[in-house]
Amino acid sequence: NAGVTQTPKFQVLKTGQSMTLQCAQDMNHNSMYWYRQDPGMGLRLIYYSASEGTTDKGEVPNGYNVSRLNKREFSLRLESAAPSQTSVYFCANGVANEQFFGPGTRLTVL
Amino acid sequence: AQSVTQLGSHVSVSEGALVLLRCNYSSSVPPYLFWYVQYPNQGLQLLLKYTSAATLVKGINDFEAEFKKSETSFHLTKPSAHMSDAAEYFCAVSPVNDYKLSFGAGTTVTVRA
């Protein structure tokens, strides 16, 4: 079992470009999350999905959109990338009070 | 709103020495508390969690943490550091009735031979 997979691993964008970060899980958990990690700030929640068909904003949702395509997949979209969105993005899934993290996507916006 | 403060962004210890990482939380009611570890270029892995059972929690790789309500603390310890413990450690908190995590800023541990 792969657990939580994320694609791509690395991405470089120019300001204004759009892209979608993909996340998939094979753990059959209802909840899924997107975080960004920036030096000295820990991880901050962008969006989450408590179950298939629902999504909610987290702490830092501006500039992002999400889609919970089905129980397995939860994608994060940047419509018009900005340098401030340079970060490492982590997807996680959860059951009860435990979350399981993917390996991350390192995004650079020039 | 709940928040987490990790004291010390960097900790350096000698191999075999005690590892102590400090975490304090702010919450009106005792929350659930977690410690995660992140090795270089990897995702986060759960070390241990407190969910209102025993106040002394044991985790993987000989780490343990003690929940102290009076001090609003959840410090992480390991009696004897190993070179493989070099990583970044995050303390996190979630309300009992809500599974969203709030993370501290992280503490990077280096282990000296």
Side-chain angles (χ1 to χ4, degrees), chain A residues 33 35 37 40-43 45 48 90 96-99 101-103 106, chain B residues 32 34 36 38 41-44 46 49 51 90 99-101 103-105:
Chain A
Y33 308 83
Y35 294 89
Q37 182 181 22
M41 304 188 74
L43 279 75
L45 183 64
Y48 67 100
F90 287 99
N97 49 44
E98 186 164 346
Q99 293 187 20
F101 287 79
R106 188 173 296 273
Chain B
Y32 290 160
F34 307 81
Y36 282 86
Q38 183 181 33
N41 301 311
Q42 294 188 26
L44 276 72
L46 182 68
K49 62 182 178 181
T51 55
F90 293 95
Y99 303 139
K100 298 191 296 295
L101 293 173
F103 285 86

Side-chain angles (χ1 to χ4, degrees), chain A:
Chain A
N1 291 339
V4 181
T5 58
Q6 293 184 236
T7 55
K9 286 184 169 40
F10 302 94
Q11 183 71 49
V12 178
L13 294 178
K14 294 181 179 178
T15 296
Q17 287 186 315
S18 62
M19 79 160 295
T20 299
L21 282 66
Q22 306 287 354
C23 174
Q25 56 137 343
D26 62 3
M27 304 172 79
N28 202 35
H29 292 162
N30 285 325
S31 301
M32 298 188 75
Y33 308 83
W34 275 106
Y35 294 89
R36 60 177 289 172
Q37 182 181 22
D38 302 292
M41 304 188 74
L43 279 75
R44 292 179 292 168
L45 183 64
I46 305 171
Y47 271 93
Y48 67 100
S49 171
S51 61
E52 184 180 352
T54 67
T55 61
D56 284 290
K57 295 178 180 179
E59 181 184 354
V60 288
N62 291 346
Y64 305 95
N65 286 300
V66 290
S67 295
R68 182 73 183 268
L69 305 171
N70 47 55
K71 191 171 186 178
R72 288 190 65 248
E73 298 171 289
F74 188 39
S75 61
L76 178 71
R77 183 161 178 83
L78 287 70
E79 291 290 353
S80 178
S84 60
Q85 295 178 304
T86 293
S87 188
V88 181
Y89 291 85
F90 287 99
C91 177
N93 68 13
V95 58
N97 49 44
E98 186 164 346
Q99 293 187 20
F100 303 85
F101 287 79
T105 294
R106 188 173 296 273
L107 175 68
T108 302
V109 183
L110 302 175

